[in-house]
């Protein structure tokens, strides 16, 4: 949370514009994050993962700073172009694309595509001839607070075949990608994927296909309740692994930070709607906010992401609370298995500040479930 955000919220309240929860994002923090990535990984190009926060101001700032963009749909491609990025700075990084969307991306000038199977390679060969492709390999996602499962990527043994197929069909077999899982708190988790990558590089080189690039994905964390290592530690661990597995032939690398670029730039202000107990002798209170899983806090699913919450009563005695959202859906509970400790003095009508909410909040918000409007967003 920054002074600029706190001032903005104070003005908003004083001007009577306070009509529901909102997320305020400070562009100065995004600028600092971009600089930290560029310094920590000086030979690596940054492709910001647009889905984390596609606000035009964020994309425009990053485009000005020289960032490239990882996009997942035609709309995201158009958003990045509108922000001033040229198509050679875009990657269509979703492994699941309709052929007509590939054709549209090609028309818009995009020439870099992700694949993870031969069927997707065939679509790209037809709709975006001659383009560069990189194959995503599966990654265990261990140590990540928001792991990415087996939805994307193929086993390393298959990746060689997928890229050979691309080569055969006239595409440029450009490289490999992986994602170590979002909010990855262990900088050493890139090592095993880099080891597999180096083996695929060697294997394909023997067959006359010379890959150029490793896409190191996202996963760089933002600070929630637990401390996380600095970006610098990630840069060092990744560089060590690159040296170890590729020797003197370190390939071109790119990163695709989403959360790590915008997470700590955003703050949500919300309000306590109700505080109650379910029985007189209950040890926990229920605290209902005007924000929940459907209007911004979807990442509390399975209580995966635990946001720091500030109140004006911080420092007072605390008690265990179940924290829930305002809708009439029973899944709209944020923290219950592991209750959240909040001040006993917290009152109905109190404001709460939810930190680290610049990523995966505004666009994860429903259009109007139960009549609650989507999360408002201000970029300052
Ligand atoms: C979502 C996504 C990212 C961003 O991940 P973070 O963990 O937010 O950094 C990067 N690359 C791809 C392909 C993604 O889908």
């Amino acid at each position: 949370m920054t002074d600029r955000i706190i001032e903005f919220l104070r003005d908003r309240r004083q001007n009577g514009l306070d009509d529901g929860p909102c997320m305020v994002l400070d562009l100065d923090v995004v600028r600092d994050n971009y600089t930290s990535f560029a310094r920590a990984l000086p030979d690596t190009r940054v492709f910001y993962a647009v889905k984390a926060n596609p606000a035009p101001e964020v994309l425009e700032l990053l485009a000005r700073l020289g960032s490239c963009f990882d996009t997942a749909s035609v709309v995201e491609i158009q958003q990045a172009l509108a922000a001033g990025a040229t198509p050679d700075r875009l990657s269509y990084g979703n492994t699941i694309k309709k052929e007509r969307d590939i054709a549209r991306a090609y028309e818009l000038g995009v020439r870099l595509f992700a694949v993870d199977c031969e069927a997707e390679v065939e679509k790209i060969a037809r709709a975006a001839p001659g383009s560069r492709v990189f194959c995503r390999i599966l990654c265990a996602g261990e140590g990540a607070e928001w792991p990415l499962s087996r939805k994307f990527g193929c086993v390393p043994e298959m990746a060689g075949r997928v890229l050979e197929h691309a080569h055969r069909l006239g595409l440029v077999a450009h490289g490999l990608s992986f994602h170590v899982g979002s909010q990855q708190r262990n900088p050493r988790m890139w090592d095993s994927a880099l080891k597999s990558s180096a083996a695929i590089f060697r294997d394909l080189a023997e067959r006359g296909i010379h890959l150029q690039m490793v896409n190191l994905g996202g996963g760089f964390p933002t600070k929630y309740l637990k401390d996380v290592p600095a970006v610098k530690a990630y840069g060092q661990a990744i560089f060590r692994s690159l040296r170890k597995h590729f020797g003197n032939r370190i390939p071109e690398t790119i990163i695709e930070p989403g959360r790590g670029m915008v997470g700590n730039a955003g703050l949500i202000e919300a309000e306590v709607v109700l505080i109650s107990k379910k029985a007189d002798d209950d040890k926990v209170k229920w605290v209902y906010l005007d924000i929940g899983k459907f209007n911004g806090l979807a990442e509390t699913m399975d209580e995966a992401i635990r946001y720091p919450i500030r109140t004006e009563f911080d420092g007072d005695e605390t008690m265990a609370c179940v924290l829930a959202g305002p809708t009439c859906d029973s899944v709209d509970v944020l923290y219950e298995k592991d209750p959240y400790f909040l001040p006993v003095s917290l009152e109905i009508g109190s404001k709460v500040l939810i930190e680290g909410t610049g990523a995966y909040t505004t666009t994860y918000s429903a259009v109007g479930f139960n009549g609650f409007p989507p999360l408002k967003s201000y970029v300052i």
Side-chain angles (χ1 to χ4, degrees), residues 115-142:
V115 295
D116 67 359
C117 65
E118 294 182 34
E120 193 73 11
V121 164
E122 283 165 17
K123 288 191 221 164
I124 294 170
R126 285 190 297 265
S131 292
R132 290 177 299 169
V133 296
F134 54 91
C135 183
R136 180 152 168 182
I137 54 175
L138 277 169
C139 202
E142 237 169 86

Side-chain angles (χ1 to χ4, degrees), residues 91-379:
S91 153
Y92 198 159
N94 192 343
T95 52
I96 307 152
K97 302 173 285 298
K98 287 182 179 166
E99 192 162 326
R100 60 176 178 274
D101 289 342
I102 298 170
R104 184 79 186 105
Y106 187 74
E107 262 172 41
L108 291 168
V110 178
R111 296 289 181 273
L112 182 60
F113 296 86
V115 295
D116 67 359
C117 65
E118 294 182 34
E120 193 73 11
V121 164
E122 283 165 17
K123 288 191 221 164
I124 294 170
R126 285 190 297 265
S131 292
R132 290 177 299 169
V133 296
F134 54 91
C135 183
R136 180 152 168 182
I137 54 175
L138 277 169
C139 202
E142 237 169 86
E145 292 187 359
W146 189 261
L148 298 176
S149 80
R150 290 174 59 82
K151 181 169 173 186
F152 313 101
C154 60
V155 293
E157 302 78 69
M158 202 169 139
R161 214 167 64 222
V162 170
L163 287 168
E164 247 188 321
H165 195 55
H167 181 74
R168 223 174 11 243
L169 296 181
L171 296 167
V172 179
H174 188 53
L176 298 167
S177 75
F178 54 85
H179 195 300
V180 295
S182 202
Q183 188 66 6
Q184 175 56 262
R185 293 173 58 230
N186 184 353
R188 288 191 304 274
M189 289 312 292
W190 275 257
D191 188 70
S192 72
L194 283 171
K195 184 175 178 201
S196 310
S197 302
I200 301 167
F201 266 60
R202 281 193 299 272
D203 188 41
L204 282 176
E206 279 171 19
R207 289 184 259 167
I209 298 172
H210 299 279
L211 301 182
Q212 304 288 324
M213 186 274 288
V214 177
N215 176 344
L216 304 160
F220 305 93
T222 204
K223 189 185 174 307
Y224 297 113
L225 282 174
K226 292 181 211 152
D227 274 330
V228 294
V231 188
K232 202 171 154 199
Y234 288 81
Q236 286 166 345
I238 288 170
F239 185 73
R240 266 199 304 274
S241 295
L242 281 166
R243 267 262 171 276
K244 183 163 116 202
H245 302 300
F246 287 90
N248 287 332
R249 297 219 187 128
I250 292 185
E252 185 190 310
T253 50
I254 69 180
I255 51 169
E256 300 174 329
R259 189 186 304 279
M261 187 71 84
V262 289
N264 65 340
L267 180 75
I268 284 174
E269 184 183 69
E271 187 177 315
V272 176
V273 181
L274 181 67
I275 302 177
S276 63
K277 283 188 172 183
K278 304 287 168 191
D280 290 333
D281 56 354
D282 265 359
K283 295 274 185 302
V284 294
K285 279 201 235 182
W286 281 68
V287 174
Y288 302 89
L289 303 177
D290 61 355
I291 189 167
K293 277 207 168 74
F294 297 99
N295 56 344
L297 302 181
E299 284 204 312
T300 56
M301 208 183 293
D302 297 328
E303 310 196 11
I305 299 293
R306 279 180 89 77
Y307 295 106
I309 300 175
R310 307 268 167 249
T311 74
E312 58 186 296
F313 306 103
D314 287 355
D316 291 3
E317 189 194 334
T318 60
M319 71 175 289
C321 300
V322 174
L323 203 61
T327 66
C328 292
D329 191 314
S330 56
V331 307
D332 193 9
V333 175
L334 308 178
Y335 305 118
E336 180 175 20
K337 276 184 291 183
D338 191 1
Y340 206 100
F341 280 79
L342 288 169
V344 287
S345 37
L346 193 68
E347 293 165 352
I348 292 172
S350 298
K351 294 289 186 198
V352 300
L353 298 174
I354 310 173
E355 293 186 314
T357 41
Y360 305 120
T361 52
T362 50
T363 45
Y364 262 179
S365 161
V367 169
F369 175 55
N370 226 184
F372 290 92
L375 180 59
K376 276 191 266 310
S377 150
Y378 302 96
V379 179

